[in-house]
Amino acid sequence: GPLKPEVTITYIAVSAIFFNSGLSLKTEELTSALMHVKLHLFVQIFTLVFFPTAIWLFLQLLSITPINEWLLKGLQTVGCMPPPVSSAVILTKAVGGNEAAAIFNSAFGSFLGIVITPLLLLLFLGSSSSVPFTSIFSQLFMTVVVPLIIGQIVRRYIKDWLERKKPPFGAISSCVLLMIIYTTFCDTFANPNIDLDKFSLIIIVFIIFSVQMSFMFLTFLFSTRNNSSFTPADTVAIIFCSTHKSLTLGIPMLKIVFAGYEYLSLISVPLLIYHPAQILLGSLLVPTIKSWMISRQKALKLTRQPKAPVKV
């Protein structure tokens, strides 16, 4: 159509989100985030190891149900996807969490996903097609890393203006993300061969929301343990980065790995549902998570204050 999603979405939209992030993020925060190795390990292991394995085990039970088998395969592909390049960052920023850590894990997870996600898809679902890692890697580098670096460079020259005017970076990213979702839905459901039965679709929607809620709660429990050493702001980034899955990387990867599959559209449906569902659920939980983070930060601040000496 006139929107030309093959250009505007694949290149311009994702690049705009990361240029926006590079422009809004303080350089010193991004530098300090690079050193937070424990947080990065937690997010990447949860996303690319625990998540797909847990889904695979769950699907062994669901395989005996009358749910459409291709939708179940699609649910497995969701588990194999890397962290998103946008939504986790936007929601972390909205709460006031560790945005720098969210950006780093989104970018780093995406790079890992270039190699790991196709391998996971081949492991769990199988495919005879070859995967052009070089072309995916170069496209990701140009649409994620380069815009982020350019944004940081531009920020150095207009830092004072940005501090003074405070542009609505969050609103800009949200609008671009909405356009990505809209065009992807149009692309998939425009396929005349797609055959969905209502029962399977409703069950898949229910499962997706249940999985997201369960995993968000699980990451919250793990990251707030007494010996975890994560700050409340770190926990916010962990919750969103560990449980969110990339649509902008996922759909192109599915088209490459499952090229020629008759049921590619059906396999894509769970990911198309998961992405807006994670944004909707995350947006609804923003006030609650923000309230928890602020109260937790205040409590930690009080416990660290030196006690006044008792007068004799």
Side-chain angles (χ1 to χ4, degrees):
L3 288 178
K4 299 291 182 185
E6 65 276 8
V7 177
T8 57
I9 300 303
T10 306
Y11 297 99
I12 299 174
V14 176
S15 299
I17 286 175
F18 272 85
F19 174 75
N20 193 37
S21 295
L23 204 58
S24 62
L25 184 66
K26 294 177 181 177
T27 308
E28 57 273 17
E29 290 180 358
L30 188 58
T31 305
S32 64
L34 298 176
M35 300 298 105
H36 212 329
V37 178
K38 187 178 179 181
L39 188 153
H40 307 325
L41 283 174
F42 182 96
V43 170
Q44 301 307 328
I45 290 173
F46 191 97
T47 307
L48 296 171
V49 179
F50 176 81
F51 203 126
T53 305
I55 292 293
W56 182 81
L57 292 171
F58 183 49
L59 290 181
Q60 302 312 300
L61 298 175
L62 293 179
S63 62
I64 60 174
T65 67
I67 301 172
N68 187 298
E69 66 169 309
W70 298 104
L71 289 179
L72 292 179
K73 289 179 183 292
L75 203 57
Q76 183 65 68
T77 67
V78 171
C80 298
M81 291 300 147
V85 295
S86 48
S87 61
V89 176
I90 294 167
L91 290 169
T92 301
K93 184 180 179 69
V95 173
N98 192 338
E99 186 193 358
I103 286 181
F104 178 83
N105 277 285
S106 292
F108 183 60
S110 297
F111 276 109
L112 286 179
I114 294 169
V115 177
I116 295 177
T117 293
L119 292 177
L120 288 173
L121 291 172
L122 295 173
L123 174 66
F124 288 113
L125 299 172
S127 174
S128 59
S129 63
S130 59
V131 182
F133 293 113
T134 306
S135 62
I136 303 176
F137 185 87
S138 59
Q139 180 179 322
L140 190 64
F141 183 80
M142 294 304 296
T143 56
V144 174
V145 178
V146 172
L148 186 65
I149 293 172
I150 293 173
Q152 285 281 284
I153 293 170
V154 173
R155 179 183 171 81
R156 294 183 65 181
Y157 293 98
I158 60 171
K159 184 178 180 181
D160 293 336
W161 181 85
L162 291 173
E163 295 292 336
R164 190 170 60 253
K165 295 292 183 180
K166 298 188 183 302
F169 292 114
I172 294 170
S173 294
S174 298
C175 289
V176 175
L177 191 59
L178 186 63
M179 187 172 73
I180 293 172
I181 295 170
Y182 170 74
T183 54
T184 309
F185 261 98
C186 290
D187 182 45
T188 298
F189 289 103
N191 187 339
N193 297 322
I194 193 166
D195 181 26
L196 282 172
D197 64 279
K198 293 180 181 178
F199 169 77
S200 294
L201 187 60
I202 292 170
I203 295 298
I204 288 294
V205 170
F206 175 75
I207 290 172
I208 283 172
F209 274 98
S210 300
V211 165
Q212 285 190 34
M213 286 297 295
S214 301
F215 283 3
M216 288 178 82
F217 183 66
L218 195 61
T219 53
F220 175 79
L221 286 180
F222 274 111
S223 60
T224 54
R225 290 179 305 167
N226 292 331
N227 60 343
S228 69
S229 75
F230 294 126
T231 66
D234 292 339
T235 296
V236 172
I238 287 170
I239 289 172
F240 291 126
C241 290
S242 300
T243 58
H244 281 208
K245 293 294 184 175
S246 176
L247 177 69
T248 50
L249 281 174
I251 293 300
M253 280 189 181
L254 289 181
K255 287 180 178 178
I256 291 168
V257 178
F258 298 107
Y261 264 49
E262 182 183 353
Y263 297 99
L264 176 59
S265 294
L266 282 174
I267 292 175
S268 304
V269 167
L271 183 58
L272 285 167
I273 296 171
Y274 194 97
H275 189 78
Q278 71 191 10
I279 296 171
L280 174 63
L281 190 59
S283 300
L284 291 173
L285 290 174
V286 161
T288 304
I289 297 174
K290 190 171 187 176
S291 176
W292 168 83
M293 187 188 75
I294 292 171
S295 61
R296 181 68 176 161
Q297 286 175 332
K298 286 180 179 177
L300 289 172
K301 203 171 183 179
L302 287 173
T303 57
R304 289 170 183 170
Q305 284 181 348
K307 295 181 179 179
V310 180
K311 294 183 180 179
V312 180

